[in-house]
Protein backbone atom coordinates (compact mmCIF):
# COMPACT_ATOMS: atom_id res chain seq x y z
CA UNK A 1 0.00 0.00 0.00
CA UNK A 2 1.54 3.29 -1.14
CA UNK A 3 1.29 6.03 1.47
CA UNK A 4 3.05 9.35 1.92
CA UNK A 5 4.80 8.34 5.13
CA UNK A 6 6.69 10.98 7.10
CA UNK A 7 8.71 9.48 9.95
CA UNK A 8 9.56 11.95 12.71
CA UNK A 9 13.22 10.99 13.18
CA UNK A 10 13.95 13.71 15.71
CA UNK A 11 11.08 12.59 17.90
CA UNK A 12 12.24 8.96 17.89
CA UNK A 13 15.77 10.01 18.81
CA UNK A 14 14.51 12.23 21.63
CA UNK A 15 12.17 9.55 22.99
CA UNK A 16 14.90 6.90 22.95
CA UNK A 17 17.13 9.27 24.92
CA UNK A 18 14.37 10.09 27.38
CA UNK A 19 13.52 6.43 27.96
CA UNK A 20 17.23 5.65 28.48
CA UNK A 21 17.16 8.12 31.36
CA UNK A 22 15.08 5.65 33.36
CA UNK A 23 18.04 3.60 34.50
CA UNK A 24 19.64 2.22 37.67
CA UNK A 25 23.14 2.68 36.23
CA UNK A 26 24.97 5.78 35.05
CA UNK A 27 24.74 6.89 31.41
CA UNK A 28 25.53 5.80 28.79
CA UNK A 29 24.65 2.39 30.21
CA UNK A 30 21.06 1.37 30.89
CA UNK A 31 19.90 -0.95 33.68
CA UNK A 32 16.14 -1.47 33.90
CA UNK A 33 15.10 -4.66 35.67
CA UNK A 34 11.49 -5.78 35.37
CA UNK A 35 9.17 -4.64 38.18
CA UNK A 36 11.82 -2.43 39.74
CA UNK A 37 10.86 1.11 40.71
CA UNK A 38 12.74 2.33 37.64
CA UNK A 39 10.82 -0.06 35.40
CA UNK A 40 7.60 1.29 36.86
CA UNK A 41 8.58 4.89 36.11
CA UNK A 42 9.51 3.94 32.53
CA UNK A 43 6.15 2.20 32.06
CA UNK A 44 4.29 5.26 33.34
CA UNK A 45 6.22 7.50 30.96
CA UNK A 46 5.51 5.16 28.03
CA UNK A 47 1.79 4.90 28.77
CA UNK A 48 1.57 8.68 28.66
CA UNK A 49 3.10 8.63 25.16
CA UNK A 50 0.64 5.93 24.09
CA UNK A 51 -2.35 7.91 25.28
CA UNK A 52 -1.04 11.04 23.57
CA UNK A 53 -1.39 9.06 20.33
CA UNK A 54 -5.07 8.35 21.16
CA UNK A 55 -4.41 4.64 21.63
CA UNK A 56 -6.57 2.48 23.89
CA UNK A 57 -4.28 1.15 26.63
CA UNK A 58 -4.78 -1.95 28.75
CA UNK A 59 -2.50 -4.17 30.86
CA UNK A 60 -2.72 -7.84 31.77
CA UNK A 61 -1.84 -9.62 35.01
CA UNK A 62 1.87 -9.92 34.23
CA UNK A 63 2.22 -6.34 32.96
CA UNK A 64 2.11 -6.91 29.20
CA UNK A 65 0.80 -3.59 27.90
CA UNK A 66 -1.45 -3.28 24.84
CA UNK A 67 -2.05 0.00 22.99
CA UNK A 68 -4.72 -0.34 20.30
CA UNK A 69 -5.61 1.83 17.34
CA UNK A 70 -9.10 0.50 16.60
CA UNK A 71 -9.99 -0.57 13.09
CA UNK A 72 -13.36 -0.77 11.41
CA UNK A 73 -13.45 -4.58 11.24
CA UNK A 74 -12.66 -7.47 13.55
CA UNK A 75 -9.13 -8.71 14.06
CA UNK A 76 -5.82 -7.04 14.82
CA UNK A 77 -2.28 -6.73 13.54
CA UNK A 78 0.37 -6.49 16.25
CA UNK A 79 3.82 -5.01 16.64
CA UNK A 80 6.06 -4.29 19.61
CA UNK A 81 8.97 -5.45 21.75
CA UNK A 82 10.32 -4.86 25.28
CA UNK A 83 11.89 -2.11 27.39
CA UNK A 84 13.49 -4.09 30.23
CA UNK A 85 17.29 -3.98 30.05
CA UNK A 86 19.97 -6.21 31.53
CA UNK A 87 22.51 -4.54 33.86
CA UNK A 88 24.80 -2.04 32.14
CA UNK A 89 23.39 -2.54 28.65
CA UNK A 90 22.46 -0.06 25.91
CA UNK A 91 19.46 2.03 24.95
CA UNK A 92 18.35 0.36 21.71
CA UNK A 93 17.66 -3.32 22.46
CA UNK A 94 13.88 -3.76 22.47
CA UNK A 95 13.15 -0.06 22.79
CA UNK A 96 13.53 0.51 19.04
CA UNK A 97 10.67 -1.94 18.51
CA UNK A 98 8.44 -0.25 21.08
CA UNK A 99 9.09 3.42 20.30
CA UNK A 100 9.57 2.63 16.61
CA UNK A 101 6.23 0.83 16.63
CA UNK A 102 4.63 3.84 18.25
CA UNK A 103 6.11 6.18 15.64
CA UNK A 104 4.97 3.84 12.83
CA UNK A 105 1.40 4.18 14.13
CA UNK A 106 1.72 7.96 14.45
CA UNK A 107 3.10 8.16 10.89
CA UNK A 108 0.11 6.19 9.59
CA UNK A 109 -2.24 8.45 11.51
CA UNK A 110 -0.60 11.55 10.02
CA UNK A 111 -0.84 10.02 6.55
CA UNK A 112 -4.60 9.65 6.95
CA UNK A 113 -4.55 5.85 6.93
CA UNK A 114 -7.71 4.19 8.25
CA UNK A 115 -7.06 0.64 9.50
CA UNK A 116 -9.56 -2.06 8.67
CA UNK A 117 -8.03 -4.41 11.23
CA UNK A 118 -6.98 -2.80 14.49
CA UNK A 119 -3.28 -2.02 14.87
CA UNK A 120 -1.92 -2.84 18.32
CA UNK A 121 1.40 -2.00 19.92
CA UNK A 122 2.48 -4.53 22.53
CA UNK A 123 5.01 -3.98 25.29
CA UNK A 124 6.18 -7.40 26.48
CA UNK A 125 7.05 -7.93 30.13
CA UNK A 126 10.51 -9.30 30.97
CA UNK A 127 11.99 -10.33 27.65
CA UNK A 128 15.31 -10.48 29.49
CA UNK A 129 15.92 -13.36 31.96
CA UNK A 130 17.73 -11.10 34.44
CA UNK A 131 15.30 -11.21 37.35
CA UNK A 132 13.52 -14.56 37.16
CA UNK A 133 15.99 -16.66 35.18
CA UNK A 134 13.73 -17.18 32.18
CA UNK A 135 13.52 -14.98 29.09
CA UNK A 136 10.40 -13.82 27.25
CA UNK A 137 8.23 -14.25 30.32
CA UNK A 138 5.37 -12.11 29.00
CA UNK A 139 5.23 -13.67 25.55
CA UNK A 140 5.53 -17.20 26.96
CA UNK A 141 2.39 -16.55 29.00
CA UNK A 142 0.59 -14.85 26.11
CA UNK A 143 1.23 -17.86 23.88
CA UNK A 144 0.45 -20.48 26.52
CA UNK A 145 4.05 -21.71 26.43
CA UNK A 146 4.48 -21.35 30.20
CA UNK A 147 2.12 -22.70 32.83
CA UNK A 148 0.63 -19.93 34.97
CA UNK A 149 1.24 -21.74 38.25
CA UNK A 150 4.85 -22.48 37.37
CA UNK A 151 5.36 -18.85 36.32
CA UNK A 152 3.98 -17.45 39.58
CA UNK A 153 6.36 -19.71 41.53
CA UNK A 154 9.46 -18.34 39.78
CA UNK A 155 11.83 -16.65 42.23
CA UNK A 156 14.34 -13.85 41.90
CA UNK A 157 17.77 -13.81 43.56
CA UNK A 158 16.23 -12.49 46.78
CA UNK A 159 13.75 -15.37 46.94
CA UNK A 160 10.72 -13.24 46.02
CA UNK A 161 8.18 -14.98 43.79
CA UNK A 162 6.82 -13.57 40.57
CA UNK A 163 3.37 -13.65 42.18
CA UNK A 164 4.43 -11.34 45.00
CA UNK A 165 6.63 -9.07 42.90
CA UNK A 166 4.07 -8.43 40.18
CA UNK A 167 1.36 -7.74 42.75
CA UNK A 168 3.62 -5.19 44.47
CA UNK A 169 4.25 -3.59 41.07
CA UNK A 170 0.51 -3.15 40.50
CA UNK A 171 -0.26 -6.24 38.42
CA UNK A 172 -2.51 -8.52 40.51
CA UNK A 173 -4.91 -11.09 39.17
CA UNK A 174 -4.62 -14.58 37.81
CA UNK A 175 -2.01 -15.39 35.19
CA UNK A 176 -4.55 -17.77 33.68
CA UNK A 177 -6.16 -14.69 32.11
CA UNK A 178 -3.02 -13.70 30.17
CA UNK A 179 -3.08 -16.24 27.33
CA UNK A 180 -4.35 -14.90 23.99
CA UNK A 181 -6.58 -16.83 21.63
CA UNK A 182 -4.93 -18.20 18.46
CA UNK A 183 -6.94 -15.77 16.32
CA UNK A 184 -6.19 -12.66 18.40
CA UNK A 185 -3.60 -11.40 15.88
CA UNK A 186 -3.79 -12.02 12.14
CA UNK A 187 -0.08 -11.08 12.00
CA UNK A 188 2.67 -9.85 14.31
CA UNK A 189 5.79 -7.93 13.21
CA UNK A 190 8.69 -7.02 15.49
CA UNK A 191 11.26 -4.32 14.70
CA UNK A 192 14.64 -4.86 16.37
CA UNK A 193 18.31 -4.03 16.11
CA UNK A 194 20.20 -6.94 14.56
CA UNK A 195 22.52 -7.50 17.57
CA UNK A 196 25.05 -8.82 15.06
CA UNK A 197 27.39 -7.40 12.40
CA UNK A 198 26.02 -8.73 9.11
CA UNK A 199 23.89 -5.79 7.94
CA UNK A 200 26.59 -3.27 8.73
CA UNK A 201 29.20 -5.35 6.90
CA UNK A 202 27.08 -5.71 3.77
CA UNK A 203 25.77 -2.13 3.84
CA UNK A 204 22.18 -3.35 3.57
CA UNK A 205 19.72 -1.25 5.62
CA UNK A 206 17.03 -3.85 6.30
CA UNK A 207 17.12 -7.49 7.34
CA UNK A 208 14.02 -9.64 6.96
CA UNK A 209 14.11 -12.53 9.42
CA UNK A 210 13.09 -15.93 8.09
CA UNK A 211 14.02 -18.11 11.10
CA UNK A 212 14.47 -17.54 14.82
CA UNK A 213 16.91 -19.85 16.59
CA UNK A 214 15.81 -22.34 19.22
CA UNK A 215 17.15 -21.42 22.66
CA UNK A 216 17.87 -23.75 25.57
CA UNK A 217 19.23 -23.01 29.04
CA UNK A 218 21.04 -25.62 31.11
CA UNK A 219 21.93 -25.17 34.80
CA UNK A 220 24.69 -27.39 36.17
CA UNK A 221 25.42 -27.62 39.90
CA UNK A 222 28.79 -29.05 40.89
CA UNK A 223 29.70 -30.10 44.42
CA UNK A 224 33.20 -30.95 45.57
CA UNK A 225 34.98 -30.54 48.88
CA UNK A 226 36.26 -27.27 50.29
CA UNK A 227 39.28 -26.79 52.44
CA UNK A 228 42.23 -24.59 53.28
CA UNK A 229 44.18 -23.52 50.21
CA UNK A 230 47.47 -24.23 51.95
CA UNK A 231 46.67 -27.37 53.87
CA UNK A 232 44.96 -29.66 51.33
CA UNK A 233 47.48 -31.24 48.99
CA UNK A 234 46.88 -31.20 45.24
CA UNK A 235 46.34 -34.98 44.74
CA UNK A 236 43.56 -35.02 47.37
CA UNK A 237 41.59 -32.07 46.05
CA UNK A 238 37.99 -32.17 44.80
CA UNK A 239 37.87 -28.62 43.41
CA UNK A 240 34.38 -27.78 42.13
CA UNK A 241 35.57 -24.74 40.18
CA UNK A 242 38.14 -26.72 38.17
CA UNK A 243 35.39 -29.16 37.25
CA UNK A 244 33.27 -26.23 36.15
CA UNK A 245 36.13 -24.96 34.00
CA UNK A 246 36.43 -28.31 32.22
CA UNK A 247 32.68 -28.37 31.61
CA UNK A 248 32.76 -24.83 30.20
CA UNK A 249 35.46 -25.88 27.74
CA UNK A 250 33.29 -28.88 26.89
CA UNK A 251 30.42 -26.50 26.07
CA UNK A 252 32.62 -24.74 23.52
CA UNK A 253 33.82 -28.05 22.07
CA UNK A 254 30.28 -29.40 21.72
CA UNK A 255 29.16 -26.36 19.73
CA UNK A 256 32.23 -26.36 17.49
CA UNK A 257 31.85 -30.09 16.82
CA UNK A 258 28.63 -29.49 14.86
CA UNK A 259 30.62 -27.53 12.26
CA UNK A 260 27.55 -25.36 11.73
CA UNK A 261 27.70 -21.57 11.84
CA UNK A 262 24.18 -21.60 13.29
CA UNK A 263 25.18 -23.47 16.47
CA UNK A 264 26.25 -21.28 19.39
CA UNK A 265 26.82 -22.13 23.05
CA UNK A 266 27.80 -19.86 25.92
CA UNK A 267 28.63 -20.43 29.57
CA UNK A 268 27.33 -17.07 30.74
CA UNK A 269 27.21 -17.63 34.51
CA UNK A 270 29.73 -19.24 36.83
CA UNK A 271 29.17 -18.81 40.56
CA UNK A 272 31.80 -20.18 42.94
CA UNK A 273 31.40 -20.88 46.64
CA UNK A 274 32.77 -19.76 49.08
CA UNK A 275 34.64 -17.28 46.86
CA UNK A 276 37.66 -16.68 49.11
CA UNK A 277 41.22 -16.51 47.78
CA UNK A 278 42.52 -18.94 50.42
CA UNK A 279 39.69 -21.48 50.19
CA UNK A 280 39.27 -24.37 47.77
CA UNK A 281 35.90 -24.00 45.98
CA UNK A 282 33.43 -26.48 47.41
CA UNK A 283 30.68 -25.82 44.89
CA UNK A 284 30.06 -24.11 41.58
CA UNK A 285 27.03 -23.32 39.48
CA UNK A 286 27.03 -22.89 35.71
CA UNK A 287 24.27 -21.57 33.49
CA UNK A 288 24.70 -22.42 29.83
CA UNK A 289 22.90 -21.04 26.78
CA UNK A 290 22.69 -23.19 23.63
CA UNK A 291 21.00 -22.01 20.41
CA UNK A 292 20.43 -23.32 16.91
CA UNK A 293 17.87 -23.04 14.12
CA UNK A 294 17.95 -26.84 13.90
CA UNK A 295 16.19 -28.44 16.87
CA UNK A 296 17.85 -31.85 16.55
CA UNK A 297 21.32 -30.34 16.35
CA UNK A 298 20.62 -28.08 19.34
CA UNK A 299 19.44 -31.02 21.43
CA UNK A 300 22.48 -33.06 20.41
CA UNK A 301 24.71 -30.30 21.79
CA UNK A 302 22.75 -30.33 25.06
CA UNK A 303 23.24 -34.09 25.30
CA UNK A 304 26.97 -33.75 24.60
CA UNK A 305 27.30 -31.15 27.37
CA UNK A 306 25.52 -33.37 29.88
CA UNK A 307 27.72 -36.33 28.88
CA UNK A 308 30.84 -34.19 29.28
CA UNK A 309 29.66 -33.01 32.70
CA UNK A 310 29.12 -36.55 33.93
CA UNK A 311 32.55 -37.56 32.66
CA UNK A 312 34.26 -34.62 34.39
CA UNK A 313 32.39 -35.32 37.63
CA UNK A 314 33.50 -38.94 37.59
CA UNK A 315 37.12 -38.11 36.83
CA UNK A 316 37.35 -35.48 39.58
CA UNK A 317 35.18 -37.27 42.18
CA UNK A 318 32.60 -34.49 42.11
CA UNK A 319 28.82 -34.56 42.41
CA UNK A 320 26.95 -33.04 39.46
CA UNK A 321 23.31 -32.20 38.76
CA UNK A 322 22.12 -30.88 35.39
CA UNK A 323 18.69 -29.27 34.95
CA UNK A 324 17.28 -28.01 31.65
CA UNK A 325 15.52 -24.75 32.52
CA UNK A 326 14.00 -24.30 29.08
CA UNK A 327 14.38 -25.87 25.67
CA UNK A 328 12.21 -24.14 23.11
CA UNK A 329 11.65 -25.05 19.46
CA UNK A 330 12.74 -22.66 16.69
CA UNK A 331 10.29 -20.48 14.78
CA UNK A 332 9.91 -20.16 11.05
CA UNK A 333 8.53 -16.79 9.99
CA UNK A 334 5.33 -16.60 7.99
CA UNK A 335 5.68 -16.22 4.21
CA UNK A 336 2.71 -13.86 3.91
CA UNK A 337 4.16 -11.49 6.49
CA UNK A 338 7.60 -11.76 4.89
CA UNK A 339 6.07 -10.80 1.52
CA UNK A 340 4.44 -7.75 3.14
CA UNK A 341 7.86 -6.72 4.47
CA UNK A 342 9.41 -7.20 1.02
CA UNK A 343 6.65 -5.12 -0.58
CA UNK A 344 7.19 -2.34 1.95
CA UNK A 345 10.95 -2.28 1.31
CA UNK A 346 10.46 -2.27 -2.45
CA UNK A 347 7.87 0.52 -2.39
CA UNK A 348 10.29 2.69 -0.40
CA UNK A 349 13.34 1.87 -2.49
CA UNK A 350 15.16 0.06 0.33
CA UNK A 351 17.31 -2.99 -0.24
CA UNK A 352 17.00 -5.94 2.14
CA UNK A 353 18.48 -9.33 2.84
CA UNK A 354 16.96 -12.48 4.30
CA UNK A 355 18.38 -13.42 7.70
CA UNK A 356 18.33 -15.85 10.60
CA UNK A 357 17.95 -14.48 14.11
CA UNK A 358 20.37 -16.29 16.40
CA UNK A 359 19.20 -14.15 19.28
CA UNK A 360 15.72 -15.07 20.38
CA UNK A 361 12.94 -12.58 20.81
CA UNK A 362 9.32 -12.41 21.90
CA UNK A 363 8.38 -13.15 18.28
CA UNK A 364 9.65 -16.70 18.85
CA UNK A 365 6.73 -17.34 21.21
CA UNK A 366 4.21 -15.14 19.41
CA UNK A 367 4.83 -17.40 16.42
CA UNK A 368 2.95 -20.13 18.27
CA UNK A 369 -0.32 -18.16 18.14
CA UNK A 370 0.11 -15.83 15.15
CA UNK A 371 1.92 -15.50 11.81
CA UNK A 372 5.12 -13.57 12.62
CA UNK A 373 8.14 -11.98 11.01
CA UNK A 374 10.86 -9.58 12.13
CA UNK A 375 12.63 -6.51 10.75
CA UNK A 376 16.30 -6.06 11.60
CA UNK A 377 18.23 -2.81 11.33
CA UNK A 378 22.03 -2.49 11.59
CA UNK A 379 23.78 -1.82 14.89
CA UNK A 380 27.32 -0.52 15.05
CA UNK A 381 29.89 -3.30 15.18
CA UNK A 382 27.16 -5.82 15.90
CA UNK A 383 27.42 -4.75 19.54
CA UNK A 384 24.50 -5.28 21.91
CA UNK A 385 23.95 -5.82 25.64
CA UNK A 386 26.69 -3.25 26.23
CA UNK A 387 26.66 0.44 27.06
CA UNK A 388 28.16 1.28 23.64
CA UNK A 389 25.29 -0.39 21.76
CA UNK A 390 24.30 2.00 18.95
CA UNK A 391 21.91 2.26 16.03
CA UNK A 392 21.86 5.40 13.91
CA UNK A 393 18.75 7.54 13.71
CA UNK A 394 18.84 7.16 9.91
CA UNK A 395 18.75 3.35 10.16
CA UNK A 396 16.02 3.43 12.81
CA UNK A 397 13.97 5.73 10.58
CA UNK A 398 14.24 3.28 7.67
CA UNK A 399 13.16 0.42 9.90
CA UNK A 400 10.16 2.38 11.18
CA UNK A 401 9.17 3.29 7.61
CA UNK A 402 9.26 -0.37 6.57
CA UNK A 403 7.25 -1.32 9.64
CA UNK A 404 4.65 1.38 8.93
CA UNK A 405 4.24 0.25 5.33
CA UNK A 406 3.94 -3.38 6.44
CA UNK A 407 1.32 -2.58 9.08
CA UNK A 408 -0.67 -0.64 6.47
CA UNK A 409 -0.67 -3.62 4.11
CA UNK A 410 -1.55 -6.15 6.80
CA UNK A 411 -4.20 -3.98 8.49
CA UNK A 412 -5.67 -2.38 5.40
Amino acid sequence: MKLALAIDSARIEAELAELAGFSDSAAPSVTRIVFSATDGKARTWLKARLREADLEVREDAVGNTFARWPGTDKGAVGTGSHIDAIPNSGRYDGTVGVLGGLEAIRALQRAGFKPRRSVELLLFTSEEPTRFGIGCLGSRLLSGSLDAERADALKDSDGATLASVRASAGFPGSLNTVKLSPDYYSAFVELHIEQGPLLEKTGVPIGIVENIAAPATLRISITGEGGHAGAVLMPQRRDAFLGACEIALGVEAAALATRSIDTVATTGICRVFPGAVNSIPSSALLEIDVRDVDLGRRDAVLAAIEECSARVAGKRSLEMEAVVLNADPPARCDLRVIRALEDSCTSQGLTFQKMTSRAYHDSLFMGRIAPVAMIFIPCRGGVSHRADEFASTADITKGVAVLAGTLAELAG
Side-chain angles (χ1 to χ4, degrees):
M1 179 173 293
K2 189 68 175 176
L3 290 167
L5 293 171
I7 308 301
D8 191 339
S9 303
R11 186 172 188 177
I12 298 174
E13 186 174 23
E15 288 178 339
L16 284 166
E18 194 169 354
L19 181 55
F22 297 99
S23 173
D24 288 322
S25 59
S29 72
V30 177
T31 300
R32 196 162 45 240
I33 308 303
V34 68
F35 298 139
S36 64
T38 299
D39 177 58
K41 292 174 183 176
R43 287 170 177 265
T44 298
W45 174 87
L46 177 62
K47 284 183 284 187
R49 306 289 82 73
L50 300 175
R51 292 188 173 105
E52 284 172 0
D54 294 323
L55 303 180
E56 298 176 355
V57 179
R58 72 175 180 91
E59 295 167 313
D60 66 18
V62 79
N64 292 313
T65 302
F66 305 78
R68 178 167 286 219
W69 181 17
T72 57
D73 295 351
K74 291 182 179 179
V77 174
T79 188
S81 196
H82 65 99
I83 63 168
D84 62 314
I86 68 169
N88 302 299
S89 60
R91 69 170 58 177
Y92 300 95
D93 177 15
T95 57
V96 165
V98 175
L99 294 175
L102 175 57
E103 177 56 24
I105 291 172
R106 292 187 301 222
L108 290 170
Q109 290 172 336
R110 290 192 296 267
F113 176 73
K114 303 296 182 185
R116 186 166 58 84
R117 294 186 179 93
S118 296
V119 178
E120 189 163 78
L121 178 63
L122 176 48
L123 166 65
F124 295 101
T125 286
S126 194
E127 192 266 358
E128 304 290 2
T130 311
R131 183 157 194 178
F132 295 103
I134 184 169
C136 299
L137 178 59
S139 56
R140 287 178 191 271
L141 288 164
L142 288 169
S143 62
S145 304
L146 177 62
D147 177 75
E149 186 175 340
R150 182 192 165 203
D152 258 343
L154 292 169
K155 293 182 179 180
D156 65 14
S157 58
D158 294 324
T161 63
L162 173 63
S164 64
V165 172
R166 67 182 177 86
S168 297
F171 302 107
S174 171
L175 292 185
N176 288 311
T177 63
V178 172
K179 184 180 177 181
L180 299 177
S181 64
D183 60 351
Y184 185 87
Y185 288 124
S186 61
F188 188 88
V189 187
E190 184 174 4
L191 170 65
H192 209 281
I193 60 171
E194 181 193 349
Q195 298 182 292
L198 299 182
L199 290 174
E200 184 181 56
K201 284 183 177 179
T202 57
V204 176
I206 299 293
I208 296 178
V209 175
E210 295 181 294
N211 302 287
I212 306 172
T217 305
L218 182 65
R219 177 181 290 160
I220 299 179
S221 303
I222 305 146
T223 304
E225 186 174 9
H228 195 287
V232 181
L233 302 180
M234 298 303 290
Q236 281 75 52
R237 294 193 177 195
R238 297 170 56 220
D239 188 320
F241 173 62
L242 294 181
C245 291
E246 276 201 65
I247 292 169
L249 290 171
V251 170
E252 179 188 44
L256 290 171
T258 69
R259 299 184 180 276
S260 170
I261 197 69
D262 289 322
T263 309
V264 291
T266 305
T267 304
I269 292 177
C270 179
R271 296 195 180 104
V272 179
F273 182 85
V277 69
N278 61 345
S279 181
I280 299 164
S282 60
S283 65
L285 182 142
L286 300 177
E287 289 193 6
I288 297 159
D289 182 294
V290 182
R291 307 183 188 209
D292 205 314
V293 295
D294 184 284
L295 186 61
R297 194 166 56 212
R298 195 276 314 273
D299 288 348
V301 171
L302 283 175
I305 292 170
E306 292 193 52
E307 181 183 345
C308 168
S309 302
R311 187 170 62 251
V312 169
K315 181 179 72 172
R316 291 185 170 272
S317 299
L318 303 169
E319 297 175 13
M320 186 275 298
E321 181 184 17
V323 178
V324 177
L325 300 181
N326 63 275
D328 302 297
R332 186 173 295 278
C333 294
D334 182 78
L335 291 177
R336 178 178 62 89
V337 184
I338 288 173
R339 282 196 295 270
L341 289 170
E342 292 172 343
D343 291 346
S344 183
C345 288
T346 300
S347 68
Q348 297 177 65
L350 295 172
T351 56
F352 61 86
Q353 68 182 55
K354 301 288 186 65
M355 305 188 72
T356 290
S357 175
R358 292 178 181 85
Y360 72 98
H361 305 278
D362 289 300
S363 289
L364 176 71
F365 297 98
M366 294 303 288
R368 301 184 182 184
I369 57 169
V372 301
M374 293 188 69
I375 306 166
F376 276 174
I377 61 167
C379 57
R380 185 174 61 197
V383 167
S384 187
H385 284 191
R386 284 176 15 190
D388 57 340
E389 173 183 278
F390 178 77
S392 73
T393 302
D395 284 332
I396 294 170
T397 299
K398 291 172 186 173
V400 172
V402 171
L403 176 60
T406 303
L407 293 175
E409 181 169 336
L410 295 172

